[in-house]
Amino acid sequence: MEYFDATYSAYSEKVGADRIVCKENEIFDYACELSNYYGTGGFIYLHRDPRDCAASWMNVPLGYDDPVSVARLWKREQNACTLLRQTFDLPVIPVQYGELISDPESEMTRVLKAIGEEVEPACFSTADPSDEVRADDEYRKNLDQPIMSSNSKKYREQFDEETVWRIESIVKEPMMRLGYKFETDADWDGPGPRSFSERVFSVLGRAWKYLAPELNSGTGEEEISEHADDTARVLASRMELREELYTKRRQEWYSRNKE
């Protein structure tokens, strides 16, 4: 926590900011530690329709290779956030993605007032085109684009009914808890979670697809093979470390619950 605080404090001082906001997607795994360390502040809980989440991830390079994997991730994340609210009673402000993009001014005003920040017109717009935004970055390419108010229910264009059925079956409980409407019976009792090795090979397969364009760029076969081997080793190492961290975090959660 000291390293986290020192890093953000130094940057805050550099840019003259009074507060810090961390957008890390898995911040909920450290929410209790953050709350204990700072003693103040809160958490903005932004959640999105799991079916749209799955559709969105399918278009991200090196993302998940199937909707079922995204559904399992979404379920874990929502359950973790529910635990923070109901078990640890931490200050959480829920925001539904669909409502945010359809009425950003109203939703942002609600959130800003809840955290004690002044409401300014700039809060309802996206980044200025003159800002340094990497247009070739798949994760940041829309930062200077207008808010896409119709960016919901896109999964209907991408998934067939069976895929939607599988997703809804996996995330049934958190979907009900968050008030999302079902389009199927959500009664699929499919296979359990994939093994670690299956997830590794899945990611490596997507990594190779990402590198495949080099085949047509004049790069030599040996160089391509070397890049692929390096990527495979890095991804395998990172996934193994991530699995160890997840196991450690789960054990910490269980320990805190028992106490």
Side-chain angles (χ1 to χ4, degrees), residues 4 19-23 27-28 30-32 34-36 38-46 84-85 89-94 111 114-117:
F4 177 92
R19 287 207 195 193
I20 61 173
V21 176
C22 182
K23 188 179 174 290
I27 197 71
F28 43 72
Y30 304 94
C32 290
L34 287 166
S35 182
N36 291 334
Y38 288 104
T40 58
F43 302 91
I44 300 173
Y45 171 29
L46 175 63
L84 294 178
R85 299 177 67 186
D89 195 28
L90 296 182
V92 176
I93 305 168
V111 172
I115 63 177
E117 288 290 345

Side-chain angles (χ1 to χ4, degrees), residues 25-70:
N25 193 49
E26 297 180 8
I27 197 71
F28 43 72
D29 282 336
Y30 304 94
C32 290
E33 290 86 348
L34 287 166
S35 182
N36 291 334
Y37 186 86
Y38 288 104
T40 58
F43 302 91
I44 300 173
Y45 171 29
L46 175 63
H47 57 87
R48 186 181 185 184
D49 188 310
R51 297 156 295 194
D52 273 327
C53 274
S56 179
W57 268 110
M58 294 302 98
N59 300 317
V60 177
L62 299 184
Y64 290 85
D65 64 332
D66 69 282
V68 168
S69 296
V70 181

